[in-house]
Amino acid sequence: MSRIGVFVCHCGENISATVNCEKVAQISKELKGVEFSTDYKYMCSDPGQTMLKEAIKEHKLDGVVVAACSPRMHEPTFRKACSEAGLNPYLCEMSNIREHCSWVHPKDDLTTEKAEDLVRVMVEKVKKNKALNSIKVPVTKTALVIGGGVAGIQAALDIANCGHKVVMVEKQPSIGGHMSQLSETFPTLDCSQCILTPRMVEIAQHPNITLYTYAEVEKVDGFIGNFKITVRKKSKSLDEHLCTGCGLCTTKCPQKKIPNEFERGLGFRPAIYVPFPQAVPNKPVIDRENCTYYIKGKCKVCEIVCPTKAIRFDQEDELVEIEAGAIVLATGFDVLKSDFFPEYGYGKYKDVIDGLQFERLASASGPTMGEIRRPSDGQIPKKIVFVACAGSRDPAKGIEYCSKICCMYTAKHAMLYKHKVHDGTPYVFYMDIRAGGKMYEEFVRRAIVEDETQYIRGRVSTIYEKNGKLIVKGADTLMGAEPVEIEADMVVLATAGVANHGAEALAQTVHVSYDAYKFFAEAHPKLKPVETNTAGIFLAGACQAPKDIPESVAAASGAAVKVAALFSNDELTREPLIAVVNRQAPPVFSSCVGCFLCQSVCPYQAIEREEIKNRNGEVIKTLAKVNEGLCQGCGTCVALCRTKAIDIHGYSNQQVYTEVMALLND
Amino acid sequence: MQDFEPKIVAFVCNWCTYAGADLTGTSRTKYAANVKIIRFPCTGRIDFMILMKAFENGADGIIVSGCHPNDCHYSTGNFHARRRWIVFRNLMNFTGIDTERILFSWVSAAEGFKWADVVNNTVAKIREMGPYENYNKIAVSTLLKEEVSNHE
Ligand SMILES: Cc1cc2nc3c(=O)[nH]c(=O)nc-3n(C[C@H](O)[C@H](O)[C@H](O)COP(=O)(O)OP(=O)(O)OC[C@H]3O[C@@H](n4cnc5c(N)ncnc54)[C@H](O)[C@@H]3O)c2cc1C
Ligand code: SF4
């Protein structure tokens, strides 16, 4: 290859502010094999791409190097432009002189020299590039949705309504997520269950949706269009087909004092239980850790009373294999653990509760039937203090971000309280009120003006108990940091929203990246908010960062559209940057010696055996062969192969060694 | 501190460290210009003979960096890289190559600041150590040079 074109981009001033782009273009022109070189203000713009295409035709270029931003940004753009000009797209490479150069170094000669080096490397590499054709792989038009909160529900319904199959996997015995625990929702104060339950039922009844509750994803193999997933359905100790959901067992179970997770410990449940009355599916599970039979070996009361004989004490976990073309992660969030707040006495004083517990108290179906009563003695609190930013925006607690939902739900809590306790006074300690959103600021105003909530700007330093009251000490920073002390009957902490407990492990199982706080990472914070770095895996809802319901639902619909777009074709086109075994004719001359070490390291089982036979049909040699559909191009086999018989397109031995030599020898 | 500009080559994987270094750029964090990146799909792809090639061609230091354990885009590539490095390091020590000049690290796609630190620390360390002139003496006196050339 000897007719290479080099195109150096200024990126407005993003590159040219520190790199002398004209000089880079000039110097590159001197490189052996470079036919044409130029610099331009915006290579990715329409005129920039047109210029590239014209230069390819005019100078009959057989290789292109675009020195601009990261290839992770615009490689597809320029490869497409090349292909439109008749040049094989894989004969185009990018030098990253923005993210890796102009943005990280000062304006000086060294920076320009580095840019020259980076261009030279790619010029030498592109000489070794081969024209490649993209690979087509079939798409399995089934989506796996992990997590059945409002986000997972929305994504599953949207995908299913596009006519595609959906498998939903939910860890808990029922779908619904946090939203099913909420009483009423900001900014409209409509009842959470009333708007959620119909959609939960729709999931259960939708002909395109298969629901696995009490189940978790154990293993994910494969890749976009062709994932193979193993789901563990934990034993419910129940034959779901026989169970009619009558609930008799739950009333007869002798274990009655197990703290109810759904009520956040404010109520109790039996060992055989349905998490809440509107649960979907509305059938019980046996919590084996607390069941008398599993502990002591006898009881079986539920089995005796069950009219349909649906109880199965010997039932085992079941592993289900699922084939899916796309995965939507919708596993939601958690709230910060109580042991984070020794200074607020959470866990020590019964009447210091968190926001979710308050939701349960305010909920008509909750432990107090919707009356706001203190957990300690059942009294109605006359003074109640809400503490916003409990844990959030606090580097000392390791959570620097704003949890985003708590300002709003705290205003909601103050309102709900005032609507139920007319002679009571709600106080809110806050740092800032963050109420960006449609009708949000108006909602907070209502809490302040109509419901007379006392907003005090300042942090609470300590809470302690005295004569049956909770003494809340803080400062009012709008009154010159004057100390404030309130004798409250109850305190509600708006604890930080944090990543789900098992988020890190799940990310590792499905192979997506996560951020420092263990929330799943999007592919691009602005332009690819619902994609992950792993093709075919999308994000919905609060598993990505704390989100309220409207945002979670919007993201879920976004993810669903991405899935539907992927499923709109029977095949998808993949980059051909995969491994190949050298295989001259006749194949006995391949340097592959058939050791199959590559097979043992390949994470995708992409290495097959190919038998070479002589005229008599006798096997004379066995070679490794790469399955193009399975290979993902990691190249582990290439590094390992003792005879260098296996190589990888795009990062071949020739290419990478050439790059190293070009980099170090100018 | 010696007054020379070290040449350092970084072999990084596409999914974590390359993206992390992109983030360093996006967040405009400054670091030394001495380090230049060569992109690989995965650290599992890196055949360590290429490190020898880099030294032979005048590199003073090397960084190999990929995804944190368990975070590999391809599940296990970084584990293979780590194992291979453990074996290869012994071999290099045996032949007299200064393995102090090679830094093996994990930098994720979210660790833009960490990448800047890794680069700056390595540059400072190699500057301290001086140019790697010894390599060619070792390589000439053994058959290593030929062996490396065979790998091109
Ligand atoms: C106290 C409080 C009050 C709130 N009030 C409001 C309000 O008034 N208005 C509003 O808009 N928002 C409110 N929110 C926010 C709202 O709860 C969230 O926006 C919403 O729940 C996010 O939905 P999600 O589906 O993303 O996550 P979640 O509701 O957390 O659902 C996630 C689901 O995934 C499941 N899951 C988790 N891990 C796995 C796994 N490994 N495998 C399978 N399944 C898994 C969980 O069991 C759960 O069912 C409030 C939040 C809190 C804490
Ligand atoms: S590059 Fe090698 S190890 Fe990786 S998937 Fe392809 S064949 Fe398997």
Side-chain angles (χ1 to χ4, degrees), chain A residues 577-579 598 601-607 626-627 630-638 646-648, chain B residues 74:
Chain A
L577 304 181
I578 58 164
C598 48
V601 297
C602 178
Y604 305 101
Q605 289 80 47
I607 306 282
V626 178
N627 178 321
L630 294 176
C631 175
Q632 294 300 296
C634 68
T636 304
C637 51
V638 180
I646 200 161
D647 209 342
I648 180 171
Chain B
Y74 306 99

Side-chain angles (χ1 to χ4, degrees), chain A residues 243-448:
Chain A
C243 174
T244 58
C246 71
L248 194 60
C249 51
T250 62
T251 60
K252 301 288 184 206
C253 176
Q255 290 277 6
K256 294 214 164 11
K257 286 281 167 192
I258 303 161
N260 188 334
E261 299 85 355
F262 184 80
E263 303 292 359
R264 300 236 354 128
L266 294 178
F268 300 102
R269 63 161 173 84
I272 183 163
Y273 72 106
V274 180
F276 53 100
Q278 304 90 330
V280 170
N282 205 323
K283 294 183 179 174
V285 297
I286 297 185
D287 159 15
R288 293 189 174 186
E289 274 175 27
N290 289 300
C291 162
T292 321
Y293 173 72
Y294 287 104
I295 299 170
K296 298 199 178 130
K298 51 181 182 234
C299 176
K300 294 202 175 181
V301 169
C302 47
E303 188 178 41
I304 298 161
V305 300
C306 177
T308 60
K309 301 284 164 254
I311 307 292
R312 295 283 177 276
F313 284 102
D314 55 357
Q315 195 178 55
E316 287 178 1
D317 289 4
E318 193 188 334
L319 294 179
V320 190
E321 303 284 333
I322 295 166
E323 295 198 353
I327 301 177
V328 177
L329 293 174
T331 50
F333 69 113
D334 260 333
V335 288
L336 197 60
K337 286 267 173 341
S338 52
D339 45 6
F340 260 79
F341 306 102
E343 69 274 33
Y344 294 164
Y346 186 100
K348 188 164 151 205
Y349 309 129
K350 277 193 169 165
D351 297 330
V352 178
I353 61 173
D354 69 15
L356 270 179
Q357 288 174 315
F358 187 86
E359 294 284 344
R360 294 316 302 148
L361 290 182
S363 171
S365 62
T368 53
M369 309 305 243
E371 289 185 7
I372 308 296
R373 291 185 178 277
R374 316 208 307 176
S376 62
D377 55 9
Q379 293 295 311
I380 294 180
K382 295 292 177 205
K383 275 189 185 178
I384 185 165
V385 169
F386 296 93
V387 182
C389 293
S392 308
R393 305 175 65 196
D394 187 351
K397 298 266 186 224
I399 300 176
E400 292 186 38
Y401 58 84
C402 162
S403 292
K404 205 174 178 186
I405 51 177
C406 1
C407 276
M408 289 305 294
Y409 77 61
T410 295
K412 172 182 79 174
H413 289 173
M415 273 172 154
L416 292 178
Y417 168 74
K418 191 69 184 175
H419 296 174
K420 291 173 190 257
V421 186
H422 302 296
D423 58 343
T425 315
Y427 296 86
V428 174
F429 280 90
Y430 71 103
M431 287 166 67
D432 301 287
I433 304 176
R434 298 197 164 165
K438 196 165 177 172
M439 300 298 290
Y440 282 20
E441 177 64 19
E442 296 92 320
F443 183 80
V444 175
R445 282 285 131 207
R446 253 171 77 195
I448 298 173

Side-chain angles (χ1 to χ4, degrees), chain A residues 102-116:
Chain A
S102 73
W103 275 351
V104 288
H105 307 314
K107 182 184 168 105
D108 62 22
D109 290 347
L110 267 182
T111 305
T112 298
E113 277 166 33
K114 176 168 173 179
E116 289 161 18

Side-chain angles (χ1 to χ4, degrees), chain A residues 138-144 223-227 229 323-327 535-538 563 566-567 572:
Chain A
V139 177
T140 311
K141 295 185 181 180
T142 300
L144 171 73
F223 52 93
I224 181 169
N226 300 274
F227 293 106
I229 302 116
E323 295 198 353
I327 301 177
I537 306 187
F538 305 97
V563 172
L566 176 63
F567 290 179
L572 69 102

Side-chain angles (χ1 to χ4, degrees), chain B residues 30-51:
Chain B
K30 302 287 180 243
Y31 61 80
N34 308 58
V35 171
K36 283 146 210 169
I37 286 178
I38 299 211
R39 176 160 73 136
F40 280 76
C42 175
T43 43
R45 161 69 185 88
I46 303 172
D47 144 17
F48 287 115
M49 287 308 269
I50 205 163
L51 309 194

